[in-house]
Amino acid sequence: MKNIYNKVKHIAVCVFLVVAVSSCDNDIKDIGGAEQNYNTVYGMLKANSDLSTFTKAIELAGLEVTLNTSDNFTYFVPSNATFDAYLVANGYVNNLGYPDITLVPVENLKQLVLSHVIKGVKKRVAKLSGVEADYLETGDYATMANAVNPDLYLLSINVTNGVLKVNGSDKAAVGLDYYGTNGFINVLSNVIELTPPAPVITRLSQVLASPGDVITIKGQNFVKVKSVKFGSTAATFTTVSKTEIKVTVPADFNSYALIVVESNFGVSAPSSIGLKYLLYEDSLKGWGYGWGGDIVWESTEKVSRGTHSIKKAAEAWSGLFMHSDLPLNTSDYQFVKMSIFPTESTKIMVTINSDTADSAKGTTVTLVAGQWNNISIPISDLHPELISGGKFDSVFIQEFSGKTITPASVLYLDDIGFL
């Protein structure tokens, strides 16, 4: 009887030890009812009931054979609630209004799944004190989707104090979620989309241009660019990188155009180049006169663009008056623009529709010597409210420093117009 008692006691102790060891293996908090174990990462994924929508996506995309291997993987997986919200937001709902992943086109689904998987590494988030491991660090990572389509964005990862952010969004839980023998699963509160958005133009290398000039367009999302247009005219271009395009100004370019970049993923907002009306390009579109020193209307000594500029001796209070052949309306323009190269630092006063030095109707600009000063004056600074009917047809420019100017001082003026 004693022997039987001892055997029962021994069995009970063993059972207790087994349960204790099992509980040590399962210290990581369970999400969605899946039991933690040392299965493959794909097996862990299938066992997790809160990740079943992503698992269904793998099946529908025909990627089970691709992912159910002994290779190392790091998964970033949206929870069912997150995935369902994505499906609803994108219109993948059934007749009853419920999210339905079977409505997503297979090719779209394939790219979506692969965008959440990094193959060849198994990186964890939560750092263990004193333990060397392959930790997930902040940076950009190539996913399995990038291997299929290199034009897609890279996966943007940020890990700060054990908190994981993917493509700018916080994940649902801090640190490590699930681990298997060949990888890790990090549960996200966002669905990853690596498809580039529409192109964005941020800057042009030239604010003015001539037909045949090659200019640089700086921006973002220049991926699979289909066209670059100056107004309705398609231009010859070369995509240098995702942030730079070289484009040749079309032959029929006059003086102004709105540039747009179109890719497979959308169209950029327009960016303007040139001037809507050039009063002076290589010659004056009208007539004019100067005073207080010589003036050459078509000088070749120094030009900002093209072949000619205006050369004006810059004596104190000297100036020039330019009359346009075309009547203009202040409401059609936002800026008066011009390029001026002074051999000596000075100040000028600019007005429109006035042939006198009435500074109450104008504004002053300080010029830096020895370089082209690209000047942009808001029309609002030139007091359009004082112009009858808002109509004007002239520009008045006067030396306005109030100091003695060197006799040899010269102003070169080019590309005078309105935008």
Side-chain angles (χ1 to χ4, degrees):
M1 187 72 177
K2 183 177 181 180
N3 289 337
I4 292 174
Y5 172 78
N6 286 337
K7 287 181 179 180
V8 171
K9 181 179 178 183
H10 179 71
I11 291 171
V13 170
C14 290
V15 169
F16 170 78
L17 290 175
V18 169
V19 170
V21 171
S22 298
S23 65
C24 290
D25 287 345
N26 292 304
D27 283 343
I28 299 173
K29 185 179 179 181
D30 173 46
I31 298 179
E35 185 177 307
Q36 295 291 338
N37 58 59
Y38 291 103
N39 199 349
T40 67
V41 66
Y42 187 78
M44 297 286 300
L45 185 63
K46 292 203 68 170
N48 193 319
S49 59
D50 192 44
L51 306 179
S52 59
T53 304
F54 189 79
T55 304
K56 182 67 173 178
I58 293 174
E59 296 171 357
L60 292 171
L63 292 172
E64 288 181 286
V65 175
T66 302
L67 299 176
N68 189 15
T69 71
S70 59
D71 295 314
N72 290 334
F73 294 96
T74 300
Y75 280 84
F76 303 90
V77 182
S79 64
N80 285 349
T82 298
F83 215 141
D84 286 348
Y86 167 83
L87 294 173
V88 171
N90 286 274
Y92 299 120
V93 294
N94 59 25
N95 293 335
L96 298 177
Y98 292 109
D100 188 346
I101 197 169
T102 64
L103 299 177
V104 183
V106 172
E107 284 304 310
N108 294 5
L109 205 55
K110 184 175 181 179
Q111 178 173 298
L112 188 65
V113 169
L114 295 180
S115 294
H116 291 75
V117 188
I118 299 175
K119 184 178 181 180
V121 296
K122 50 179 183 178
K123 292 181 177 289
R124 65 183 302 156
V125 176
K127 292 193 174 183
L128 305 177
S129 179
V131 176
E132 291 187 9
D134 193 6
Y135 295 113
L136 192 62
E137 303 289 348
T138 296
D140 291 334
Y141 293 79
T143 67
M144 293 183 72
N146 294 113
V148 176
N149 184 358
D151 287 327
L152 295 176
Y153 275 8
L154 295 175
L155 191 65
S156 179
I157 297 293
N158 183 285
V159 182
T160 304
N161 297 326
V163 177
L164 172 65
K165 294 183 179 181
V166 181
N167 285 23
S169 297
D170 288 311
K171 66 189 294 291
V174 175
L176 178 66
D177 284 326
Y178 295 99
Y179 62 95
T181 55
N182 64 329
F184 295 90
I185 300 173
N186 299 283
V187 180
L188 302 182
S189 57
N190 65 298
V191 174
I192 297 168
E193 291 187 272
L194 301 181
T195 300
V200 175
I201 299 174
T202 57
R203 184 170 64 85
L204 304 177
S205 62
Q206 295 175 217
V207 293
L208 298 173
S210 301
D213 285 353
V214 177
I215 68 171
T216 300
I217 302 175
K218 294 283 190 178
Q220 301 171 354
N221 315 323
F222 296 153
V223 175
K224 290 192 177 298
V225 176
K226 297 195 298 184
S227 69
V228 177
K229 291 183 178 179
F230 284 62
S232 60
T233 303
T236 302
F237 70 94
T238 301
T239 303
V240 179
S241 67
K242 293 180 181 179
T243 60
E244 184 176 314
I245 295 173
K246 297 286 187 183
V247 60
T248 301
V249 179
D252 62 352
F253 176 73
N254 186 8
S255 63
Y256 173 80
L258 292 176
I259 299 177
V260 295
V261 175
E262 182 181 7
S263 75
N264 285 350
F265 308 104
V267 181
S268 71
S271 180
S272 64
I273 186 170
L275 301 175
K276 290 182 179 179
Y277 179 68
L278 268 171
L279 177 59
Y280 185 95
E281 188 172 12
D282 285 326
S283 62
L284 182 61
K285 296 177 182 176
W287 54 269
Y289 60 87
W291 66 94
D294 293 338
I295 184 169
V296 179
W297 290 101
E298 295 183 12
S299 170
T300 58
E301 289 182 5
K302 190 179 294 294
V303 299
S304 173
R305 187 180 63 93
T307 57
H308 297 90
S309 68
I310 302 171
K311 179 183 178 181
K312 177 71 181 72
E315 296 180 7
W317 307 112
S318 65
L320 67 157
F321 174 86
M322 292 170 286
H323 183 277
S324 169
D325 284 337
L326 179 70
L328 306 172
N329 195 321
T330 55
S331 63
D332 293 335
Y333 305 99
Q334 292 181 293
F335 299 95
V336 176
K337 300 179 78 73
M338 62 187 74
S339 296
I340 304 181
F341 188 107
T343 58
E344 182 177 343
S345 181
T346 186
K347 182 186 290 186
I348 60 171
M349 193 269 291
V350 179
T351 65
I352 56 175
N353 220 48
S354 173
D355 60 358
T356 62
D358 187 354
S359 58
K361 296 181 180 179
T363 190
T364 58
V365 179
T366 299
L367 303 177
V368 179
Q371 67 183 49
W372 283 102
N373 294 250
N374 295 314
I375 298 166
S376 182
I377 302 172
I379 290 288
S380 58
D381 287 355
L382 302 178
H383 305 286
E385 71 279 2
L386 300 178
I387 299 175
S388 178
K391 303 286 186 180
F392 71 101
D393 58 10
S394 61
V395 175
F396 176 96
I397 301 172
Q398 183 179 21
E399 199 285 328
F400 216 71
S401 66
K403 66 179 183 179
T404 302
I405 301 296
T406 304
S409 182
V410 174
L411 296 179
Y412 295 94
L413 302 95
D414 203 354
D415 288 328
I416 301 169
F418 306 92
L419 175 63

